[in-house]
Amino acid sequence: KVITGDYPAIWGSDFGFSDERHDIDNIKYRPLLVDEIKKQYKSGAIITMTYHQANPVIGEPCLFESGVISKLTDEQWKDLLTPGTEIYKAWETQMDIVADILSKVQDAHIPVLFRPYHEMNGTWFWWGGRKGVEGYIALYKQLFHYFTEHHHLNNLIWVWASDRPWEGVEEFYPGDEYVDVLGA
């Protein structure tokens, strides 16, 4: 504001994954998100939210390295996509926390640019590097259906954001019916 005379048109945040070891991404700030989103939206900002989700096998709080940047075995990946398994239940619990926040924002009639599982065509995040319909695409669609059908969230503008438009990026694209905005 000091430089331009205006505040930014877009305000964004993350849902967090850590504790005091990485305080800027501390999950203790989640209870403050709804009020901050309302404040920013009232001031005219477009809201965007990203989620650096902790690996469901590791849980939260966790560190960025070894928690968000981590791996799942092929068997763990399969379990993640299978309702009723322990990993799926852990994932579901994490998603319920985020959905609760987003539903309060929905109740305030605030649209949110929602960017889940970004940079999927890289291999650093636990959700990344898994091509095809049984890979990343299945996880993205699982989240989409869980939020839209189970939690009835309709205020989300789904942002699919690859790391870069590298060759093969299309092998991670879930389809037009699941994506509102493309980004890199």
Side-chain angles (χ1 to χ4, degrees), residues 70-110:
S70 59
K71 301 289 182 209
L72 289 177
T73 66
D74 290 343
E75 187 62 34
Q76 289 170 327
W77 185 264
K78 183 179 174 189
D79 286 350
L80 172 67
L81 301 175
T82 305
T85 65
E86 290 305 311
I87 296 173
Y88 181 90
K89 289 177 189 175
W91 173 85
E92 195 174 40
T93 298
Q94 289 173 308
M95 295 306 97
D96 289 344
I97 292 167
V98 172
D100 182 60
I101 294 166
L102 291 171
S103 68
K104 290 173 183 166
V105 173
Q106 177 175 277
D107 291 345
H109 306 288
I110 299 172

Side-chain angles (χ1 to χ4, degrees), residues 11 15 29-41 49 98 100-106 108 110:
W11 181 88
F15 293 97
Y29 298 122
R30 286 178 181 163
L32 306 175
L33 279 173
V34 174
D35 286 341
E36 187 62 28
I37 288 169
K38 287 177 180 178
K39 177 181 138 191
Q40 294 294 331
Y41 186 73
M49 294 297 295
V98 172
D100 182 60
I101 294 166
L102 291 171
S103 68
K104 290 173 183 166
V105 173
Q106 177 175 277
I110 299 172

Side-chain angles (χ1 to χ4, degrees), residues 8-177:
I10 298 175
W11 181 88
S13 189
D14 195 301
F15 293 97
F17 53 84
S18 193
D19 52 20
E20 64 280 347
R21 295 172 293 170
H22 196 267
D23 194 55
I24 194 168
D25 288 308
N26 198 322
I27 59 177
K28 75 177 182 183
Y29 298 122
R30 286 178 181 163
L32 306 175
L33 279 173
V34 174
D35 286 341
E36 187 62 28
I37 288 169
K38 287 177 180 178
K39 177 181 138 191
Q40 294 294 331
Y41 186 73
K42 186 177 179 182
S43 76
I46 295 167
I47 306 302
T48 183
M49 294 297 295
T50 297
Y51 185 29
H52 287 91
Q53 182 186 354
N55 182 325
V57 173
I58 296 167
E60 59 182 36
C62 67
L63 292 174
F64 190 68
E65 296 278 344
S66 76
V68 178
I69 295 179
S70 59
K71 301 289 182 209
L72 289 177
T73 66
D74 290 343
E75 187 62 34
Q76 289 170 327
W77 185 264
K78 183 179 174 189
D79 286 350
L80 172 67
L81 301 175
T82 305
T85 65
E86 290 305 311
I87 296 173
Y88 181 90
K89 289 177 189 175
W91 173 85
E92 195 174 40
T93 298
Q94 289 173 308
M95 295 306 97
D96 289 344
I97 292 167
V98 172
D100 182 60
I101 294 166
L102 291 171
S103 68
K104 290 173 183 166
V105 173
Q106 177 175 277
D107 291 345
H109 306 288
I110 299 172
V112 175
L113 288 161
F114 180 56
R115 188 176 72 118
Y117 303 132
H118 59 290
E119 300 175 22
M120 78 300 293
N121 58 327
T123 58
W124 38 92
F125 296 130
W126 63 263
W127 60 82
R130 292 183 180 266
K131 297 178 182 178
V133 296
E134 296 301 318
Y136 168 84
I137 291 172
L139 178 62
Y140 186 98
K141 287 180 177 182
Q142 178 173 288
L143 175 62
F144 182 92
H145 289 295
Y146 194 68
F147 275 8
T148 61
E149 295 169 13
H150 180 76
H151 284 288
H152 306 287
L153 294 172
N154 61 18
N155 63 324
L156 303 180
I157 301 164
W158 291 80
V159 179
W160 181 86
S162 64
D163 175 53
R164 286 177 251 167
W166 295 343
E167 185 175 330
V169 70
E170 66 278 359
E171 296 180 65
F172 298 93
Y173 187 63
D176 293 350
E177 63 271 31

